[in-house]
């Protein structure tokens, strides 16, 4: 009966992300049906007409494979997900951040760094974050969420110079939050770069 109701609701609005996720949950314990449902949902939903967060459907699909220890398939899903023409840049940033976090969970640190560098590389013409005539893929390089993640990764996996470079790029893009300024200035103070730290506070 719940499946029948779900089918009716999806006929009324085939672009309803939450109903597709509900349908997946109705097939719990049936992996083949789950994969078929995710695949059908992705083929059916038009990103421009989607109600709910389309990114969450892709993230959950990837997570299904990860939970089943199928890392290769997990990456295939994420690689497709980052090419989806989402309506909002935040959704693409969400997909990238989950992709990066997945690599970190499996201690694939080089892969995590590779993804965050790809996501934050600007296209040659560097469009505005809010320019809706541009694809989300061309605008995600200005996502503070991804840059903050990049700074954290460099601090953990890179060295002082690579971390400093990331912070300066955030400042150059003019997307730094007060917290980013505090983190950067704090890092410089920690390394005894007091004059440079003071300049960062001034710039902030």
């Amino acid at each position: 009966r719940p499946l029948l109701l779900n089918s009716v609701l999806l006929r009324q609005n085939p672009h309803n992300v939450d109903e597709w996720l509900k349908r997946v949950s109705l097939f719990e314990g049936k992996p083949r049906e789950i994969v078929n449902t995710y695949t059908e949902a992705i083929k059916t939903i038009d990103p421009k007409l989607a109600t709910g967060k389309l990114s969450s459907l892709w993230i959950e699909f990837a997570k299904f494979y990860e939970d089943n220890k199928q890392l290769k398939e997990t990456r295939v899903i994420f690689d497709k997900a980052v090419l989806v023409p989402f309506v909002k840049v935040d959704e693409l940033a969400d997909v990238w951040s989950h992709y990066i976090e997945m690599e970190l969970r499996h201690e694939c640190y080089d892969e995590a760094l590779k993804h965050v560098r790809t996501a934050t590389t600007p296209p040659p013409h560097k469009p505005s974050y809010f320019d809706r005539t541009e694809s989300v893929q061309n605008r995600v390089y200005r996502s503070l969420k991804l840059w903050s993640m990049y700074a954290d990764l460099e601090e953990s996996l890179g060295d002082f110079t690579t971390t400093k470079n990331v912070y300066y790029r955030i400042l150059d893009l003019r997307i730094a939050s007060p917290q980013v300024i505090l983190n950067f200035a704090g890092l410089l103070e920690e390394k005894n770069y007091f004059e440079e730290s003071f300049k960062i506070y001034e710039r902030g």
Side-chain angles (χ1 to χ4, degrees), residues 137-199:
Q137 281 74 15
N138 278 352
R139 294 182 281 148
V140 76
Y141 78 97
R142 296 184 67 90
S143 164
L144 180 57
K145 179 180 187 169
L146 291 176
W147 279 103
S148 299
M149 208 171 199
Y150 193 177
D152 289 344
L153 281 177
E154 285 294 1
E155 218 165 319
S156 305
L157 307 170
D159 55 35
F160 175 60
T161 306
T162 60
T163 306
K164 200 167 77 157
N165 288 344
V166 169
Y167 275 118
Y168 271 118
R169 285 174 69 193
I170 294 172
L171 291 176
D172 290 343
L173 285 170
R174 298 184 176 182
I175 56 170
S177 65
Q179 191 58 54
V180 166
I181 299 293
L182 291 172
N183 290 353
F184 188 19
L187 175 75
L188 292 167
E189 279 175 28
E190 204 179 286
K191 302 286 182 184
N192 298 321
Y193 284 73
F194 297 110
E195 198 177 320
E196 201 172 341
S197 173
F198 181 68
K199 281 179 184 169

Side-chain angles (χ1 to χ4, degrees), residues 22-31 33-34 64:
K22 211 173 280 179
R23 191 173 185 83
V24 169
S25 69
L26 293 172
F27 289 119
E28 198 178 346
K30 297 177 179 175
E33 282 88 342
I34 287 172
F64 166 77

Side-chain angles (χ1 to χ4, degrees), residues 75-93:
R75 289 192 178 113
V76 167
I77 298 302
F78 273 125
D79 285 338
K80 288 180 179 178
V82 297
L83 301 176
V84 173
F86 297 108
V87 172
K88 293 179 179 173
V89 182
D90 282 352
E91 288 205 61
L92 179 57

Side-chain angles (χ1 to χ4, degrees), residues 106-117:
H106 296 278
E107 299 180 4
C108 300
Y109 303 123
D110 288 345
E111 289 296 313
L113 275 170
K114 186 183 88 176
H115 298 326
V116 79
R117 285 170 185 155

Side-chain angles (χ1 to χ4, degrees), residues 53-68:
K53 285 182 77 173
L54 180 55
S55 55
S56 63
L57 188 77
W58 283 93
I59 290 162
E60 287 300 319
F61 192 6
K63 191 174 180 297
F64 166 77
Y65 280 122
E66 187 191 356
D67 289 345
N68 284 283

